Amino acid sequence: MKAVQVSTPGGLEALKLVDLTDPVPGPGEQTLEVKAASVNHLDLWVRKGLPVAKYPIILGSDAAGIVLETGRRALLNPSTSCGTCEFCSSGDKPLCLKFAIFGEHVNGTQAQRICVPAENLIPFPDTISFEEAAAAPLVYTTAWRMLITRGRLAPSEDVLIWSAGAGVGVACLQLARLAGARVIATASSDEKCERLKNLGADFVLNHAREDVVRRLRELTNKRGVDIVVDYIGKDTWGRSVQCVRRGGRILTCGATSGYDPAEDLRQIFYRQIEGIGCTMGNNKETLDALRPIFEGRIRPVIDSVIPLANVADAHERIARRAAFGKIILNP
Ligand SMILES: [Zn+2]
């Protein structure tokens, strides 16, 4: 079978389409014939080299396809854990010492076939395409835990989402709107701003040419927003601190522009700002995040669907923040 594999971390040249023998299911596992797999920013980090990854590794955390043993359509819950430790027992699966994400800690989904624990396979309705199903799990799980569980988002609140056209940004926008919040979304072009507006953003700001801090103060009558969603990191963190209200929350699930921003701690303690870290989610959060998709209340946004062999194009597009929504690979 064909698979996207990284043997030695590096640039785009590290991505290899390889021929491997078909995987065989172990105890408790089933085989998913992958019809669609999505690309996440995580794939770029794994390609460049992550200490937790064991190379060679097949990339990809999300997949949807047909379960060979049952003939049913299913999508993949992208993570596993021990299930019994203090963290797993209290709904904090991502804190488990055995926590693993497909395509990061173990082989991933960008292959024609994968063998995974049967409990990770979630059936989905016929009204959802394989591409939409593969676009959803990682980013909507992350967005749900970050905004709803950890961020404690309330319907009356204002949320600022930086670079909301990214996969997780679109998920945050849709879930925040579903929760009744007012959303201010930024993007790097007028075209993306228009698309964010069409997805329900109350206000859009082109951060390439607008002063986001000043515009934000105008829009919120100098109060600032209750929540800032910032997975950009170094480029935006200082402005996130300026945009959040006194006592507000800044949520982070990544740092695509760099992880070491300058920080003025006086802003944090005098204005009592909470910085809340978040990564992935537990099984309940995955199911909660998927339900509105299964019910047709929100639809995952797909940037493009390309063959497995063109995976480097997807990495390149995500790296320069050109994608709007998710890029899907068809194996
Ligand atoms: Zn555990």
Side-chain angles (χ1 to χ4, degrees):
M1 65 154 193
K2 302 262 187 247
V4 175
Q5 195 182 56
V6 171
S7 297
T8 309
L12 294 178
E13 75 290 344
L15 296 165
K16 302 278 192 250
L17 187 67
V18 295
D19 258 312
L20 301 173
T21 51
D22 283 356
V24 178
E29 289 190 334
Q30 288 182 327
T31 308
L32 187 73
E33 186 179 79
V34 178
K35 297 292 187 188
S38 76
V39 181
N40 289 293
H41 204 108
L42 174 61
D43 303 8
L44 278 65
W45 296 118
V46 176
R47 187 202 80 215
K48 292 174 192 169
L50 276 187
V52 295
K54 290 193 192 77
Y55 301 90
I57 188 169
I58 298 173
L59 295 186
S61 307
D62 289 317
I66 306 276
V67 182
L68 287 188
E69 289 82 357
T70 63
R72 285 201 309 180
R73 291 148 54 94
L75 58 78
L76 181 70
N77 177 340
S79 69
T80 60
S81 69
C82 84
T84 55
C85 72
E86 60 174 314
F87 301 115
C88 288
S89 305
S90 57
D92 288 327
K93 178 183 179 184
L95 297 179
C96 177
L97 292 173
K98 299 266 174 64
F99 184 72
I101 300 176
F102 295 102
E104 181 181 5
H105 307 83
V106 294
N107 272 329
T109 59
Q110 290 164 13
Q112 290 174 316
R113 282 188 180 190
I114 57 173
C115 292
V116 295
E119 69 230 30
N120 277 69
L121 292 167
I122 301 170
F124 64 93
D126 291 342
T127 48
I128 311 292
S129 68
F130 287 114
E131 286 76 14
E132 288 171 317
L138 186 133
V139 291
Y140 285 86
T141 298
T142 302
W144 187 281
R145 181 172 177 83
M146 182 162 60
L147 279 176
I148 309 296
T149 310
R150 302 268 297 145
R152 315 181 304 273
L153 175 66
S156 61
E157 293 191 310
D158 288 343
V159 182
L160 169 67
I161 305 170
W162 286 103
S163 292
V168 70
V170 168
C172 284
L173 163 56
Q174 291 174 315
L175 292 178
R177 290 292 295 133
L178 197 67
R182 193 166 73 147
V183 175
I184 300 149
T186 88
S188 56
S189 72
D190 290 341
E191 188 217 331
K192 281 190 188 177
C193 284
E194 192 58 35
R195 296 184 70 177
L196 292 171
K197 192 99 192 159
N198 292 337
L199 281 174
D202 296 276
F203 300 100
V204 290
L205 301 174
N206 181 334
H207 61 236
R209 60 174 173 76
E210 289 187 273
D211 180 340
V212 172
V213 175
R214 190 176 60 77
R215 291 281 291 121
L216 212 285
R217 284 174 64 78
E218 288 168 9
L219 289 172
T220 60
N221 208 10
K222 295 186 182 170
R223 176 178 177 267
V225 292
D226 301 276
I227 287 178
V228 180
V229 175
D230 187 341
Y231 39 78
I232 307 301
K234 194 164 186 167
D235 289 353
T236 49
W237 192 260
R239 284 178 285 166
S240 294
V241 172
Q242 289 179 282
C243 287
V244 76
R245 70 159 164 85
R246 289 164 167 255
R249 291 93 84 198
I250 304 177
L251 314 180
T252 175
C253 64
T256 56
S257 69
Y259 52 77
D260 53 349
E263 178 88 279
D264 181 345
L265 288 176
R266 293 169 300 182
Q267 292 286 329
I268 305 296
F269 58 76
Y270 281 130
R271 295 177 57 233
Q272 300 194 32
I273 294 166
E274 281 181 76
I276 300 178
C278 200
T279 188
M280 289 296 291
N282 62 36
N283 298 347
K284 172 77 160 63
E285 287 157 341
T286 296
L287 294 175
D288 283 346
L290 291 175
R291 194 174 309 114
I293 296 172
F294 291 175
E295 292 167 352
R297 298 165 74 195
I298 52 180
R299 290 210 94 94
V301 174
I302 291 169
D303 174 81
S304 46
V305 181
I306 60 175
L308 204 58
N310 295 3
V311 63
D313 295 346
H315 281 233
E316 186 270 334
R317 215 169 143 67
I318 291 172
R320 61 183 169 88
R321 296 185 200 165
F324 188 94
K326 302 283 293 174
I327 302 178
I328 307 293
L329 302 176
N330 271 155

